[in-house]
Amino acid sequence: MPQNSKIYYLAPVNYFTTLRKLLFILLWSAFSAAVYGSSALIYPNPQESPSNLNLDSLAKVFNNTGIKYVREGDFLLASEYFLKSLRIRESTPDFPKERLARGYFNYANIKLDLVFVDSAFIYYNKAEEILLKLESPNPDLLGMVLFEKGNCFTYKQDYSNAIVYIKRGISVLLQDSIIGDAESIVLAYEKLSRAYKQQGSIDEALDAALKAHYYALNYYNSRISNTLSSLGLLYKIKKDYKEALNYYLKSEERINDEVRFSRGHIISVYSNLGTTYWELGENDLAEFYFKKGFSLSPSTQVFLPMEGSLYINYGYFLRSRGEYLRAKEVFQKALVLNIKDGKSSDIEMLSFNDFYSLTHAAQCFEGLADVNLSLFYEKGEKKYIQESLNFYSKALEIIDNITSEIQTEIDKIAVGENYHIIYLKAIQTSLLLDTLRTEGLDYAVNISSKAKASALNLALAKERGLEFSGVPGQLINREQELRQVIGSLNEVYYEEKQKGKPSIIKLEYLESRLFEVQKEYREFISSLESDYPGYYALKYDNTSVTIQKIQKRLSPTQVLIDYVLTHNALISFAISKNSFEWKSQSIDRTFYDSLDVFLKQVNPSSIVSLNHQNFEDFVRSSYFLYRYLVKPYESILEGKELIVVPHLQLASIPFAALITDLPMKRNGYYALPYLARKVPISYFPSTKTFATSNKSRPLFRVKSISIAPDYKVIAANGIISSYRQNLGELPGAEQEVHSVSKILRGDMLIGNQASEAIFKKLAPKYDILHLAMHTQLDEKNPLYSKLVFAEPVDTLEDGFLNMYEVYGLKLNTKLSIISACRSGDGGLVKGEGLLSLARGFQYAGCPSMVAAQWRVDDYSGSDIMISFSQQLMKGLPKSKALQKAQLHYIDNSDPLRSHPYFWASYQIIGEDSSVYISPIIICFMVLIVTILFGAIVFVIVRKKVKLKRVQN
């Protein structure tokens, strides 16, 4: 029986009696057909209890035959017999609903083992619907249906729904104080561990795997080998290969001691032993275990994910040994096993609909691409590059499809991080193909645009297109409300889990609420997609980014540099209105070491203890990075504005603090030749975000509001108050707000007035939002980072504006100035950059932001923001206004406070046009109007004079 299967006997059956009944049924069917015609029923009167009894017996025969085929490993035949059993039960009046639900459950399990996930999902749904309508459903059956449905969500890579469903199933299974179906509990925790693992939450996955192992040891030891294997896999992910090997070997011992294990599980253990020995450098043992896995040849051509993983792992093992042609054959075999029945095995003709498992298909295409790339380096023939690029493209098509089907951003981000390396490989390969072919370079630029901020780009595309989809406003509002409720429940659950002694009762309540609300949200989205096809189409973002599109969006004074960072290369594309250049520079550990030194020096742990060595380290590392990142494009940057599209660790670099030369005389930080002295700088999360952004037009009348809360503790007790007790007042922030609001002639909220509730109400009415306040940054889960407002009094708001709440705002601003500690910082996620509060404002409809990358000194930050506001009022573009503010600060600071720590933190993120119409333009327009008015008056007066002369 496969590892994930669980088939239940409905009742013991006397096969001799049943076969006699079956013979009677067949004879009666033939007689009925002869007498009443082909439309006759099996029984002339199905309402009679003997007939129903015989139909039930026939259903049991089909059901038990299905179980027999499951044990033999023939899942296709098993599926047929389970379906026959179900059809009889569905047509039998008054058939017990719970037994029908169990039949649906068994059939769904078989479909899931065959990797027909959508079909399995339908039948789990049927079983769930029946059980939830019963007054007292069997808790074991209901619990199993829920966690297996959650397992379906894991297959779909919808991990958020998977986790809440599996947890709900576990809760139902454990509702009795006495352990009932121990095997189901072990299975549920194993599947919960798998969902967490694939989401990237390894600590949570390990916790669930340990619980599965505990229940297996104490209540159901037949799955001990499975739980040991799960623990081994998690330690392998943590790169603790010796501990992983320890668990795998223990799992193998259990297999050798017992007989009852599925072929899939044994293959999985051998495959993992092979890869672990390979990681430890023991290739002979690795080969031995891989071959043990292959020795378990299937009796049918049914796709098993574990078998697919064995082929993929072995393919990479062969590639590492230089056996490229054998590796290619193995990857092709893995791909063919994954193709659905009846589909062509021609790889060029395959689409994502042709595979049982999209994950395995993407991995196979990646493997084939990697092998062809290795063949190119060995043989030097360019045909291998083209083949490699074709396979990477196939893999990326599948990944795009997977991502488009996922509802929650956190899961889109997880999938993007899992597959990010394929984007990087595709970019490098396309540049190898032919450096003179424009389409090859366009492909590289387009893939780079998809490799960054893909979840953000999908969300922005969806928001932009909603108004054209025909969905009524009240339904759009309802969708946003449900998202906000889910975000709020997730945050409260997350924070409760962080406590030393979390409340079990509270966690169970929150899990229950999450289950209900996410179910409601999913059903709501399904109805929207069904009723409004335009809305359904929005989740597929097929727009491509080309060099020409970027050039069309650029102004003549702008240069955009898009960076791609791999472990051994720094790739960059420099695009101006009329030119395009690209570079691929080899890098090694020295580059990353210099980057680490620079980041430590630009944001030191102690500013007061800096010495000459710190200065020298900063100068060397800063210039080193400049030579790689900017110097290759000095000629086209002269007199231009620089737009940076960073990648991975490069997102942490304040480019303004890079120095453009090594000075002979090093007088101090204030005298260094910073890049900020040469060019104004702004940032975009991706070229796609840039290409699809709209330029804002400057305004005559700009409405602004500046906000600075106080952090006096109002409540005597409570979690919020205890946290706020650690927050110091920000006198510089209040001074900043007074000055900025005066300069911008705007409104102001300070002290207790600066509440979350008032901000949410007022924010959509303003063109500029200026927030000077504390932030609470969550580096582990950036989606729960928040801006801290004044402590609320008698309100439902908690005073913390979370990033997921920012996503729900509908802003009409031209600019948000987030003068908060580390507002531009956050968790670094592959493919998404820094998941910061600034990013949330961009999603909410704010095209431009000023954000701080690290904790800013209260008063220096205030000085820069005041100067920035003065420059904005002059009609300067945002990046130029910030450049002048930073240079003014450097040139007017003492030697210590000219350190980049005090001024380089601030960045312009997003669109870079002017907010205010330039006073010069206003004066010019006033002059033109005055001249026109004077001319009109002159003409009128002249006519009157002439008229009087005529009259006289």
Side-chain angles (χ1 to χ4, degrees), residues 221-495:
N221 59 17
S222 292
R223 289 199 68 82
I224 291 176
S225 177
N226 303 73
T227 60
L228 288 167
S229 182
S230 297
L231 287 165
L233 180 58
L234 291 168
Y235 279 106
K236 189 168 74 170
I237 291 170
K238 291 165 78 76
K239 298 191 182 302
D240 187 345
Y241 298 114
K242 290 186 178 179
E243 189 67 11
L245 183 63
N246 177 45
Y247 279 109
Y248 285 139
L249 290 173
K250 287 180 179 178
S251 179
E252 185 192 19
E253 285 176 16
R254 301 288 303 194
I255 292 171
N256 294 335
D257 292 344
E258 300 177 28
V259 179
R260 185 194 171 278
F261 285 101
S262 70
R263 182 171 61 88
H265 170 62
I266 301 172
I267 287 174
S268 176
V269 171
Y270 290 152
S271 176
N272 284 317
L273 276 167
T275 54
T276 307
Y277 275 121
W278 172 27
E279 292 286 355
L280 292 170
E282 299 188 42
N283 287 348
D284 290 342
L285 280 169
E287 179 85 34
F288 170 75
Y289 277 105
F290 282 132
K291 287 184 176 178
K292 283 192 77 170
F294 286 119
S295 69
L296 300 169
S297 57
S299 56
T300 62
Q301 288 299 311
V302 175
F303 173 72
L304 284 178
M306 305 77 142
E307 190 174 8
S309 296
L310 171 67
Y311 276 94
I312 292 167
N313 290 338
Y314 189 58
Y316 275 111
F317 173 71
L318 291 174
R319 176 175 174 261
S320 72
R321 298 172 64 173
E323 299 181 50
Y324 303 133
L325 295 179
R326 282 188 65 200
K328 197 171 182 178
E329 290 174 3
V330 170
F331 283 122
Q332 287 172 335
K333 174 67 173 176
L335 195 65
V336 170
L337 283 174
N338 192 13
I339 299 172
K340 291 178 181 177
D341 290 340
K343 300 294 182 179
S344 169
S345 58
D346 183 354
I347 293 175
E348 293 297 323
M349 302 296 293
L350 294 170
S351 70
F352 58 84
N353 289 318
D354 298 329
F355 299 103
Y356 292 110
S357 169
L358 292 181
T359 302
H360 280 77
Q363 290 171 342
C364 289
F365 282 126
E366 180 189 7
L368 286 166
D370 290 345
V371 169
N372 276 286
L373 201 56
S374 297
L375 284 167
F376 163 72
Y377 286 120
E378 182 184 65
K379 299 178 181 294
E381 298 177 27
K382 280 202 169 183
K383 68 175 183 178
Y384 292 116
I385 300 179
Q386 185 63 65
E387 282 191 48
S388 179
L389 195 56
N390 290 343
F391 287 129
Y392 284 136
S393 297
K394 284 283 188 182
L396 293 177
E397 285 175 20
I398 291 171
I399 295 163
D400 287 345
N401 179 264
I402 291 171
T403 308
S404 298
E405 292 292 337
I406 298 171
Q407 291 178 358
T408 61
E409 185 178 30
I410 191 170
D411 292 335
K412 287 181 188 290
I413 290 169
V415 170
E417 189 164 18
N418 291 340
Y419 295 115
H420 186 67
I421 187 64
I422 304 180
Y423 288 95
L424 305 187
K425 291 175 182 177
I427 293 167
Q428 286 186 288
T429 305
S430 65
L431 296 176
L432 285 171
L433 181 61
D434 188 345
T435 58
L436 300 178
R437 287 172 55 185
T438 305
E439 57 267 30
L441 296 173
D442 258 338
Y443 180 83
V445 170
N446 184 45
I447 295 302
S448 175
S449 76
K450 289 185 174 184
K452 302 174 189 175
S454 59
L456 175 62
N457 287 323
L458 283 167
L460 290 173
K462 176 183 168 184
E463 291 298 311
R464 281 193 297 267
L466 270 176
E467 57 185 292
F468 305 110
S469 64
V471 179
Q474 64 268 26
L475 292 183
I476 294 174
N477 291 337
R478 180 58 180 157
E479 189 264 348
Q480 291 167 351
E481 288 171 9
L482 287 170
R483 273 197 286 122
Q484 291 295 303
V485 172
I486 290 169
S488 178
L489 288 170
N490 270 315
E491 185 212 8
V492 175
Y493 183 87
Y494 172 75
E495 290 186 347

Side-chain angles (χ1 to χ4, degrees), residues 3 186-194 212 223 226-227 230:
Q3 185 177 351
V186 175
L187 271 171
Y189 275 117
E190 285 180 28
K191 291 171 195 228
L192 180 61
S193 176
R194 178 171 172 250
R223 289 199 68 82
N226 303 73
T227 60
S230 297

Side-chain angles (χ1 to χ4, degrees), residues 776-819:
Q776 182 183 353
L777 187 69
D778 193 319
E779 294 184 354
K780 183 179 179 183
N781 196 330
L783 289 172
Y784 301 138
S785 295
K786 55 202 74 178
L787 290 165
V788 186
F789 285 82
E791 186 166 6
V793 180
D794 298 328
T795 176
L796 294 176
E797 303 291 356
D798 61 3
F800 296 117
L801 184 69
N802 295 275
M803 192 160 87
Y804 72 82
E805 290 181 283
V806 176
Y807 279 27
L809 297 176
K810 290 297 176 187
L811 301 177
N812 300 300
T813 57
K814 298 282 186 180
L815 173 67
S816 291
I817 304 171
I818 313 174
S819 183

Side-chain angles (χ1 to χ4, degrees), residues 554-741:
L554 287 166
S555 74
T557 61
Q558 293 175 321
V559 174
L560 179 147
I561 305 181
D562 180 23
Y563 294 97
V564 177
L565 190 64
T566 74
H567 73 285
N568 62 358
L570 172 67
I571 300 167
S572 53
F573 307 101
I575 309 172
S576 68
K577 191 72 174 177
N578 299 306
S579 67
F580 171 78
E581 297 180 29
W582 71 276
K583 307 284 182 188
S584 180
Q585 303 172 77
S586 297
I587 58 175
D588 54 22
R589 188 66 252 172
T590 306
F591 179 89
Y592 290 99
D593 289 342
S594 295
L595 177 57
D596 288 341
V597 170
F598 173 77
L599 294 177
K600 286 176 182 176
Q601 294 304 323
V602 79
N603 181 18
S605 57
S606 174
I607 195 74
V608 296
S609 61
L610 295 177
N611 54 38
H612 181 70
Q613 186 59 50
N614 293 114
F615 178 78
E616 291 295 326
D617 288 345
F618 171 78
V619 169
R620 280 196 300 270
S621 61
S622 178
Y623 183 63
F624 179 92
L625 293 174
Y626 175 81
R627 286 194 299 112
Y628 274 88
L629 296 169
V630 184
K631 191 173 179 61
Y633 304 111
E634 277 182 333
S635 59
I636 62 173
L637 275 172
E638 189 69 35
K640 300 291 178 68
E641 302 157 18
L642 172 61
I643 300 171
V644 175
V645 182
H647 184 224
L648 298 178
Q649 296 97 317
L650 303 184
S652 301
I653 296 177
F655 275 63
L658 299 178
I659 62 172
T660 60
D661 203 354
L662 285 176
M664 297 297 293
K665 293 183 179 180
R666 302 181 183 180
N667 297 323
Y669 291 101
Y670 66 92
L672 291 174
Y674 295 110
L675 182 59
R677 297 188 183 278
K678 286 195 170 185
V679 294
I681 305 166
S682 60
Y683 300 80
F684 264 91
S686 74
T687 49
K688 177 170 277 192
T689 313
F690 172 79
T692 55
S693 64
N694 296 318
K695 288 186 178 180
S696 298
R697 293 182 178 179
L699 302 173
F700 275 110
R701 175 74 177 94
V702 177
K703 294 181 66 178
S704 70
I705 186 169
S706 296
I707 301 172
D710 69 31
Y711 297 106
K712 295 173 183 176
V713 179
I714 298 172
N717 299 304
I719 298 171
I720 294 176
S721 297
S722 64
Y723 170 71
R724 289 175 184 274
Q725 286 171 357
N726 299 319
L727 295 176
E729 290 294 319
L730 297 174
E734 188 170 330
Q735 174 189 315
E736 176 184 326
V737 161
H738 278 282
S739 300
V740 169
S741 62

